[in-house]
Amino acid sequence: MKPARRLVALASAVLLATAGCAGSESGSSGPIVVGSVNALSGAATFPEASQAAKAVFDAANASGGVNGRQIQYKALDDKGDPAAAAAAAREVVGRDEAVALVGSSSLIECEINNKYYEQQKILSMQGIGVDPACFSSPNIAPVNVGPYHDMTLTLLYGSETLKLNDICALLEIAGNTLPSYQAAIDEWSAITGKKLKYLDATVPYGGSDYTSYIVKARNAGCKAITVNPVEPDSIGQLKAAAAQGWNDVTWLLLTSVYSENYAKAITNAGAGVYVPAEFYPFTDATSPQNKDWRELMTKNNIPLTSFSQGGYLAAKYFLDVIRGIQGDITRESVTKALREMKPITDPMVGTPYVFGPGQTHHDNTAGWPIKLASGTNKWELVANDWLRIPKK
């Protein structure tokens, strides 16, 4: 077993062994405790999701709360560390007796805590789900598309809309994500009948020089490349391609690179960078779809990113559900309401959200295609509607 997996297993085992049955009752007049576990410090941070969720709850509190009760939101830091993630979950679920988790965003949190959430009979509405356990656990239902459906979508756009052939993949694999990315690629193949020309799953996160990987892909005859990078890695990969004079390659990337800072950093995007945005593109500044979110984020000085969109929607959905609860709002009544909720539609997403009784939750299957062209430093919409993964 790899060291990272041993840490995950140990943290989970310790947590399950030492956790008692946390109380889940909130007084009918006291605050409604809601928690989240997030990467607020460490190598990769995602603070906007929980910040956005807090802004939604603060606005609700300012308007009288929920049935006269205030939301007490506790966003804890997992530091990108398995033991810290386990401890954070135990604190907010066990000690603070949260009724639910809302707006969490982390690289590891779902994998570490999903069994604990099942044991404690608490549900998590993830703001941004990343690791595979976020989409394969009965007690976790992210509001975002996630990197795996995102990869299927970007491949579909490349092959079916752009009519590209000779598509290749360079994958950056962390932990146990390779099977999920392979399943995403296989789903694209099942829909289209097409196969990748070349696949390299050895590309490192945080690499200092991606030239060798780019050269091998070019020599393999790739005309388009799908990658699952974080922003600095993608910038390095595009620069390596430009240094090799490879300016006719199309990049089919994920929402992980969709930011204004990324656009400003890219001068040569080859034949274009295409991304299926998980939420309605926030760079469309006048869009009515994002109006309420944009105003609330601006008011609270929260960055306009896909992460803050996810946190905002998770909190908004949560409030919609608990406002319909008859009687006291407790962990049990919230869980029941989320399991029995009707789907919620929102113009910021292309798929209705529902938690429901399922054993897995990977139902957001729509992205909005956007493009970054060389020399523009600006994202542009390249579609008039959502791109959706066909139903089976």
Side-chain angles (χ1 to χ4, degrees):
M1 184 180 290
K2 294 181 179 180
R5 290 188 179 180
R6 282 201 297 269
L7 281 172
V8 169
L10 178 61
S12 298
V14 170
L15 183 59
L16 287 171
T18 60
C21 293
S24 57
E25 295 293 329
S26 295
S28 58
S29 61
I32 301 168
V33 179
V34 178
S36 66
V37 179
N38 313 270
L40 303 179
S41 64
T45 61
F46 313 100
E48 302 102 307
S50 56
Q51 290 170 355
K54 182 178 185 300
V56 173
F57 292 138
D58 287 347
N61 288 339
S63 298
V66 178
N67 298 335
R69 295 174 63 185
Q70 298 283 288
I71 300 287
Q72 185 178 358
Y73 187 59
K74 298 192 173 184
L76 301 185
D77 185 9
D78 70 15
K79 305 175 184 177
D81 173 71
R90 186 178 183 185
E91 177 178 337
V92 75
V93 175
R95 191 194 72 182
D96 297 330
E97 300 186 0
V99 301
L101 294 111
V102 178
S104 298
S105 180
S106 164
L107 290 174
I108 62 170
E109 196 269 322
C110 296
E111 183 177 358
I112 298 298
N113 294 322
N114 70 93
K115 296 300 181 183
Y116 176 64
Y117 295 156
E118 290 183 49
Q119 182 199 55
Q120 296 300 308
K121 299 179 180 179
I122 191 169
L123 303 186
S124 176
M125 299 174 68
Q126 208 83 6
I128 299 293
V130 180
D131 72 69
C134 296
F135 305 96
S136 60
S137 302
N139 287 47
I140 303 174
V143 305
N144 66 316
V145 173
Y148 315 111
H149 279 339
D150 214 20
M151 176 153 285
T152 302
L153 285 167
T154 200
L155 286 168
L156 282 173
Y157 189 79
S159 66
E160 306 310 296
T161 300
L162 298 179
K163 305 299 182 182
L164 298 171
N165 296 311
D166 299 327
I167 299 176
C168 303
L170 301 179
L171 300 181
E172 300 185 353
I173 299 303
N176 63 340
T177 58
L178 180 56
S180 295
Y181 281 116
Q182 185 61 61
I185 294 167
D186 292 344
E187 185 173 27
W188 165 72
S189 293
I191 294 168
T192 64
K194 300 173 182 178
K195 302 289 185 181
L196 292 176
K197 186 175 183 65
Y198 169 79
L199 169 65
D200 184 349
T202 68
V203 182
Y205 275 106
S208 58
D209 186 357
Y210 290 100
T211 301
S212 63
Y213 302 94
I214 295 299
V215 169
K216 285 187 287 185
R218 189 180 190 183
N219 290 342
C222 303
K223 302 301 182 185
I225 299 179
T226 186
V227 197
N228 61 323
V230 292
E231 289 183 27
D233 293 0
S234 179
I235 293 169
Q237 290 156 17
L238 266 67
K239 287 183 176 179
Q244 294 298 311
W246 196 15
N247 297 321
D248 60 351
V249 61
T250 301
W251 299 89
L252 304 173
L253 304 185
L254 310 186
T255 309
S256 54
V257 303
Y258 177 37
S259 77
E260 291 182 331
N261 286 335
Y262 177 85
K264 292 176 182 176
I266 298 299
T267 55
N268 187 335
V273 172
Y274 292 85
V275 168
E278 295 189 66
F279 308 107
Y280 187 84
F282 61 83
T283 46
D284 184 3
T286 60
S287 63
Q289 292 92 331
N290 286 330
K291 180 177 181 296
D292 292 343
W293 161 77
R294 182 179 291 273
E295 289 178 352
L296 185 63
M297 298 303 101
T298 301
K299 178 181 177 181
N300 289 276
N301 296 315
I302 299 171
L304 302 177
T305 67
S306 294
F307 298 114
S308 61
Q309 285 179 304
Y312 168 87
L313 284 169
K316 184 179 177 182
Y317 294 153
F318 178 75
L319 288 176
D320 284 350
V321 172
I322 68 169
R323 282 174 173 148
I325 293 176
Q326 301 297 316
D328 199 7
I329 297 174
T330 65
R331 185 178 300 177
E332 288 79 7
S333 65
V334 168
T335 297
K336 183 175 186 293
L338 287 171
R339 294 291 193 196
E340 298 176 356
M341 68 178 286
K342 294 181 179 180
I344 299 174
T345 59
D346 191 282
M348 289 177 65
V349 289
T351 308
Y353 178 83
V354 61
F355 204 112
Q359 291 300 297
T360 61
H361 303 281
H362 204 178
D363 300 327
N364 192 339
T365 57
W368 196 290
I370 54 176
K371 175 186 179 181
L372 174 64
S374 292
T376 64
N377 299 116
K378 184 178 180 180
W379 294 99
E380 62 177 297
L381 277 64
V382 291
N384 296 317
D385 199 359
W386 297 93
L387 172 67
R388 295 178 173 86
I389 298 174
K391 292 183 179 179
K392 297 178 181 178

